[in-house]
Amino acid sequence: MTGFYARFGKRLLDLLLSLLVLFLLSPLLGAIALIARWKLGTPVFFRQRRPGLHGKPFTLYKFRTMTDARNDDGDLLPDAERLTAFGHFLRATSLDELPELWNVIKGDMSLVGPRPLLMRYLDRYTPEQMRRHEVKPGISGWAQVHGRNALTWEEKFALDVWYVDHVSFGLDVKIIFVTIEKIWKREGISQPGHATAREFMGTHDTNSTERS
């Protein structure tokens, strides 16, 4: 990325908006945490290592949306069986993503950028797809406002790389406003036939599920 906005302005925008939103929504965050504690127990937050800028790992924070229900062998049940009604509401409204504002303040993420996926995906990307890590991951992004989990992985990654090549203040503001509209309409929450999205197995992936 080159240019003043990409190098300095984007971080300033991230800090100003994230601090403002956290201040305004702090009562809501507290209420969600209490309900999550009541409905799902502890921990209230979901923590997972995800790849950030240039693939460097960081700890992602979200509100927990699933139980820890397991089968007789001790393995976690599929996402669809562990996702509670309260968890589904949090995901449908994207309220589960609010703790990621802390990741933005810390500098691990940006408000806008390709979604941080799973560490194990790093070895499955093509060189072109890997370019999505040339910018910080975001809470929302160009792929999210064009279909989110309703897109194929290949479509998502193509949109992510397009964003990397076109980062600008105007584009980020547009994505933020369209994201608010998409959340209101609750569009693209899951892929057809899956609780969220199937796991990315490479450019010819066809199976499994994982939250993005």
Side-chain angles (χ1 to χ4, degrees), residues 19-66:
L19 290 169
L20 177 62
V21 172
L22 277 177
F23 173 75
L24 294 176
L25 297 186
S26 55
L28 176 61
L29 287 163
I32 293 173
L34 288 174
I35 296 172
R37 174 67 177 83
W38 172 46
K39 293 279 190 180
L40 298 170
T42 55
V44 168
F45 296 104
F46 170 79
R47 299 175 177 86
Q48 189 176 57
R49 298 291 276 173
R50 298 285 180 99
L53 182 64
H54 305 309
K56 181 181 178 181
F58 71 97
T59 301
L60 177 88
Y61 297 93
K62 292 185 182 184
F63 280 119
R64 185 179 169 198
T65 59
M66 295 183 183

Side-chain angles (χ1 to χ4, degrees), residues 88-89 92-93 148 181-189:
H88 178 75
F89 167 76
T93 55
R148 197 177 172 183
E181 178 186 359
K182 295 288 183 180
I183 291 172
W184 180 259
K185 294 180 178 179
R186 301 187 185 184
E187 295 178 349
I189 298 168

Side-chain angles (χ1 to χ4, degrees), residues 5-25:
Y5 175 73
R7 288 182 292 166
F8 306 107
K10 188 173 176 66
R11 177 62 179 154
L12 181 61
L13 180 67
D14 285 342
L15 285 173
L16 290 176
L17 290 184
S18 295
L19 290 169
L20 177 62
V21 172
L22 277 177
F23 173 75
L24 294 176
L25 297 186

Side-chain angles (χ1 to χ4, degrees), residues 119-176:
M119 293 300 298
R120 64 176 177 265
Y121 289 3
L122 290 176
D123 293 333
R124 303 175 187 176
Y125 296 129
T126 66
E128 180 68 7
Q129 291 168 347
M130 190 65 185
R131 292 191 58 227
R132 68 194 303 278
H133 294 288
E134 292 177 9
V135 297
K136 289 181 182 179
I139 295 178
S140 186
W142 195 233
Q144 278 59 52
V145 301
H146 281 84
R148 197 177 172 183
N149 286 327
L151 298 172
T152 66
W153 284 114
E154 288 74 18
E155 290 170 333
K156 288 183 187 180
F157 298 151
L159 290 166
D160 288 341
V161 173
W162 186 93
Y163 173 79
V164 169
D165 292 332
H166 296 84
V167 175
S168 70
F169 173 75
L171 181 59
D172 279 3
V173 170
K174 176 180 179 179
I175 291 172
I176 289 170

Side-chain angles (χ1 to χ4, degrees), residues 65-67 76-84 91 195-197 209-211:
T65 59
M66 295 183 183
T67 68
L76 286 173
L77 295 175
D79 288 2
E81 297 180 39
R82 296 188 295 119
L83 185 62
T84 64
R91 290 188 176 201
T196 50
T209 62
E210 188 64 52
R211 166 74 163 160

